[in-house]
Amino acid sequence: MSILLTSSVSVTEAAAEQMAANPTKPSGQPAKMKKDESLLGKLGGTLVRKKKLKEVSDLQEEGKNAINAPLLLAGPELLHEDTLLEENAERTILDPTSKEDLNFKDLQKVLIDWINSELEEDRIIVKDLEEDLYDGQVLQKLFEKLSGHKLNVAEVTQSEIGQKQKLQTVLEAVNGVLRPLEWNTEWSVDSIHSKNLVPIVYLLLALAIYYAAPIRLPEHVSVKVIVVKKKEGILQTTHLTKQLTSTTTEMMIGRSERDAFDTLLDHAPDKLNVVKTSLITFVNKHLNKLNLEVTELESQFADGVYLVLLMGLLENYFVPLYNFYLTPENFEQKVHNVSFAFELMQDGGLQKPKARPEDVVNLNLKSTLRVLYNLFTNYKNSE
């Protein structure tokens, strides 16, 4: 009994001594402090974990941006659809700096004016190549006018599927004409329908050159393009320069079909003088009626005056002087004269000459021979 009492007294004295040492704090406070300290620790741990999660998220975003960094090089023209490209698929974008290139703008204007001239009877007016040609309607009419063949397509197509089907038919017809010449096709249904300007211009240039459009194409026009390609799930960009036009002579050679005059000049140049003499005799037979005489075919027909007068003589009518330049002073006036002579030939039932007016004006012998030989074949028996 005495032992238990001694222990109780000892515990009480110990508590009293602790209270004396901490007179301002109640005896239950230390337990509460431990509880609060535990809660703060838990809160602190939660905040730390959230901070670490945010750091991980930021790191992942940084990695994602690093993967897609090549996209930033492509500039503002990059579209959301590029991220949806299939593996190894690519898309070509015109560099924004080339859009403002004066030579490229001039080329577009020449092509637009040519299309509007060809389709004037259809009351079709093109103002923007991208917006007006993507659905295939204008391209269909243009090809039909140039080739003289009607395509089996619906006249009006509003749906995307219908538009692409029409484009497919038109491009197959165009490619069929150009394939024998081993022409590089820089266009496709998707590139045209997606309003990609560069393939559209390539296509129009091919048609203009092949069908000898009566226009003067600006020389040495090139543009910068950005090629976006998906490889191993990553979009990559490459900057390239595309040449659209070269010199007039080179473009003419790329168009010209091999014919009797090519064979003559390549394999029997000794007979060329015989052909030239025959043609000179033919044209002088008629031009002599106006006291005119030709001695040099390539130079004396280059301004178009003799061609216009010759057509009037062959068809027995007077050509009003206000329709052409009797004394042309520059390249454009000469081209006008030759183009007008070509129109008179077509009015007389002849096919449109394969030569370009510019080729005749530029003293291209084969082009001039082709035009005169066509007249000789159709009017050799005329008095």
Side-chain angles (χ1 to χ4, degrees):
M1 179 68 99
S2 59
I3 296 174
L4 291 176
L5 181 60
T6 303
S7 300
S8 300
V9 172
S10 300
V11 171
T12 303
E13 289 176 351
E17 289 176 357
Q18 186 175 0
M19 291 178 64
N22 299 283
T24 60
K25 294 181 181 180
S27 59
Q29 188 67 19
K32 185 177 181 180
M33 286 178 61
K34 289 182 180 179
K35 183 178 180 181
D36 289 345
E37 287 174 357
S38 176
L39 178 61
L40 289 175
K42 290 181 180 179
L43 289 175
T46 302
L47 292 175
V48 169
R49 284 194 296 273
K50 286 185 177 181
K51 182 177 180 181
K52 288 183 177 180
L53 288 174
K54 186 176 185 306
E55 289 176 351
V56 171
S57 177
D58 291 343
L59 185 60
Q60 289 176 340
E61 186 66 24
E62 184 179 351
K64 180 181 177 181
N65 292 336
I67 291 175
N68 292 322
L71 300 182
L72 303 177
L73 301 176
E77 292 299 320
L78 192 71
L79 302 178
H80 172 68
E81 63 194 53
D82 292 315
T83 61
L84 305 178
L85 287 174
E86 297 182 1
E87 183 69 15
N88 294 322
E90 64 180 39
R91 191 174 80 93
T92 302
I93 309 167
L94 179 64
D95 191 289
T97 58
S98 289
K99 283 188 176 182
E100 303 303 319
D101 184 82
L102 296 180
N103 290 330
F104 185 49
K105 284 187 174 182
D106 185 33
L107 175 60
Q108 292 179 70
K109 183 179 184 305
V110 171
L111 293 173
I112 289 174
D113 291 343
W114 168 58
I115 296 172
N116 289 335
S117 176
E118 291 289 344
L119 302 181
E120 184 177 5
E121 295 179 359
D122 296 298
R123 297 183 178 180
I124 292 176
I125 299 178
V126 171
K127 296 182 179 179
D128 185 279
L129 295 179
E130 295 164 289
E131 296 296 331
D132 296 337
L133 271 68
Y134 81 96
D135 61 0
Q137 182 74 15
V138 174
L139 288 174
Q140 171 209 341
K141 295 296 184 181
L142 179 62
F143 180 76
E144 290 178 341
K145 176 68 181 298
L146 296 173
S147 65
H149 297 294
K150 186 76 174 176
L151 297 178
N152 185 23
V153 293
E155 283 299 314
V156 180
T157 52
Q158 297 293 337
S159 68
E160 179 178 336
I161 295 177
Q163 291 170 354
K164 287 189 173 182
Q165 288 175 343
K166 173 176 284 191
L167 275 173
Q168 182 70 37
T169 301
V170 174
L171 295 186
E172 285 179 355
V174 172
N175 296 342
V177 169
L178 300 178
R179 192 172 293 113
L181 301 179
E182 299 181 353
W183 209 295
N184 291 327
T185 54
E186 299 277 353
W187 52 83
S188 65
V189 171
D190 289 334
S191 64
I192 299 294
H193 194 266
S194 63
K195 303 180 183 181
N196 195 322
L197 184 57
V198 175
I200 292 174
V201 170
Y202 266 124
L203 175 60
L204 293 175
L205 284 173
L207 291 173
I209 294 173
Y210 180 81
Y211 287 104
I215 57 178
R216 186 179 186 183
L217 295 170
E219 297 184 341
H220 302 296
V221 179
S222 61
V223 293
K224 296 179 181 179
V225 298
I226 303 169
V227 180
V228 182
K229 184 176 183 178
K230 179 175 282 188
K231 188 174 182 180
E232 297 181 357
I234 301 174
L235 291 179
Q236 300 177 347
T237 59
T238 306
H239 294 257
L240 301 174
T241 298
K242 293 274 190 178
Q243 183 179 12
L244 299 175
T245 66
S246 54
T247 64
T248 299
T249 302
E250 289 174 344
M251 288 187 285
M252 183 274 296
I253 293 175
R255 168 195 56 80
S256 298
E257 297 180 64
R258 301 290 296 178
D259 59 13
F261 289 106
D262 292 293
T263 304
L264 179 68
L265 292 174
D266 292 344
H267 303 289
D270 54 310
K271 296 181 180 180
L272 178 62
N273 288 332
V274 177
V275 175
K276 292 174 69 174
T277 300
S278 299
L279 292 177
I280 288 175
T281 301
F282 163 71
V283 297
N284 281 337
K285 174 184 174 181
H286 299 280
L287 290 177
N288 287 163
K289 299 172 185 178
L290 299 177
N291 295 322
L292 300 174
E293 186 173 4
V294 170
T295 58
E296 287 291 336
L297 295 179
E298 57 263 58
S299 61
Q300 289 184 268
F301 282 96
D303 62 5
V305 175
Y306 279 9
L307 272 180
V308 173
L309 296 176
L310 181 59
M311 280 308 304
L313 291 167
L314 293 173
E315 287 289 333
N316 296 313
Y317 56 71
F318 173 76
V319 182
L321 298 180
Y322 58 77
N323 282 328
F324 67 103
Y325 297 95
L326 190 59
T327 56
E329 298 178 354
N330 52 47
F331 184 89
E332 284 72 22
Q333 292 179 357
K334 294 177 182 179
V335 170
H336 169 85
N337 284 352
V338 178
S339 300
F340 178 58
F342 285 5
E343 292 177 10
L344 296 179
M345 294 175 195
Q346 291 176 271
D347 291 343
L350 279 68
Q351 289 187 346
K352 185 178 182 179
K354 293 180 179 179
R356 300 194 316 157
E358 289 84 356
D359 300 336
V360 176
V361 175
N362 285 325
L363 307 179
N364 184 274
L365 178 58
K366 280 193 290 187
S367 297
T368 305
L369 289 177
R370 287 187 177 98
V371 173
L372 294 177
Y373 185 76
N374 192 31
L375 295 179
F376 172 77
T377 301
N378 287 273
Y379 296 100
K380 58 185 176 182
N381 296 322
S382 299
E383 294 298 330

